[in-house]
Amino acid sequence: MSLTNLHRIAVQLVARHPVLDTARSYSRWAHRNPAKVILPYEPDSEVNLKKEKIISLDPGKFNKLKENKKEKIAVTNSSQNDTSHKLTPEKSKEIKQKRDELMKKRKFYLSQAKVFDDNNEIMYEKLKDNDGWLSSLLVKLKSKKDKMRSGQILVEGWRLIVDGLEAKCPLKYIIFSNTEDLRHLRPFLPKTGVKLFKTSYKEMSMWSNVETPPGIFGIFETPTPQTVKILSKPLPMQIICDQVREPGNLGAILRVAVGSGCEKVLLTKGCVDVWDHKVVRSGAGTHFRLPIYTSLDWEDLPKQLPKHTSVVIADSNAKFDLDADLSDEGTAQGTLPILPYYGVDYASLGHVSLIIGGETEGISKDSYRLAATLNGLRVNIPLQRGVDSLNTGMAAAVIAFEIRKQFLQARQAKGKQSVQVT
């Protein structure tokens, strides 16, 4: 068969199969060797083609780079070995002695409850998970009886710890998981008397009373009415809590008492524990700034009242019949007048004891009896139709700040009169 016949057969095969035609075109394109490239938009100009830089992929260059790296590593290792060989036995002994002295000094400082070291850094001890000392301590602080016996309280979060430190309440322990939290406490920490312990966040989450634990606990000595330091001069008013059993409400009342300038707060038997963790959190640090008397009997309550005080009951039950309700109890006859809270001249009373009842239980008969014996009165907050009463903390705020306003206005008027006389 001649070459012309073979060429004809090949052309026919390519024509029948377009894939072969495409392959032939690609092979021709791949083996092209153009002399120059003429741009269609510059037909008459001379085109100068730039030569491309060819990257050499010679494996010898890569081998040289590897050898250079190995030489550098060998040099560093040799320098380290030289320095290690330079350490004489006397020098290593001296370094060990210095380290032991630092450890002894640190242990001594920690045993003396020192907070800062010689470099003014906060010192702390690290605890393992499931530490026996920590578990026994926190178990006691969860129990009301053990809490009273130990005379210590637990607060969570660096803000409450700062509130206690600002109120000069003695701080015993700080337990934390993140050293960043200590940055907030550093300006308020005393130099001695506080022991700090670091543990894992998982361990603290097991003991926390909050859904998202803050990761830091503070353990204070329980403030007493005698040890609490009041920052400013209070107004002649105090609050008596009657069967307030909701922790959030009691915490709100304590905040109202501090904000309005009350002298103290009296809690009768039947109220929630003032050191319950929910009360402490809702109180937002007011426990450290206010004298609080707890678990008082109604028979002993008059001893806590000033001689010339006026008892004012915050009563939403405006239709209460005092004669019908108290005559069987053998109390004094008479009726307690009821007025809107803004219709009373509190400044003329001299001293006010405001009674706040719980939301579910309301005002007890003992409160009415006390008010009747001391010529007290009832006040209410007029509301729109369809609303029976306000939240206990909200009602306390409305009435207490009205009393505060009238006392301050009377004080200002008195000051102006004295200035005019002089």
Side-chain angles (χ1 to χ4, degrees), residues 257-300:
V258 173
S260 60
C262 288
E263 294 174 341
K264 57 187 175 182
V265 172
L266 308 175
L267 305 181
T268 61
K269 283 187 176 179
C271 291
V272 67
D273 178 23
V274 72
W275 296 111
D276 181 83
H277 65 93
K278 291 182 180 178
V279 180
V280 173
R281 287 193 67 81
S282 59
T286 54
H287 291 71
F288 303 112
R289 296 186 173 91
L290 183 71
I292 305 172
Y293 296 83
T294 61
S295 301
L296 296 174
D297 290 320
W298 285 99
E299 291 78 12
D300 299 330

Side-chain angles (χ1 to χ4, degrees), residues 207-258:
W207 296 101
S208 177
N209 296 310
V210 191
E211 290 184 5
T212 55
I216 183 167
F217 297 157
I219 299 173
F220 289 87
E221 288 185 8
T222 306
T224 62
Q226 293 76 27
T227 58
V228 167
K229 296 180 180 179
I230 301 174
L231 300 179
S232 58
K233 186 178 180 181
L235 296 173
M237 58 184 293
Q238 59 188 10
I239 293 178
I240 303 171
C241 293
D242 181 12
Q243 301 184 89
V244 179
R245 297 177 183 176
E246 182 63 34
N249 287 339
L250 182 56
I253 292 171
L254 294 178
R255 294 178 75 174
V256 169
V258 173

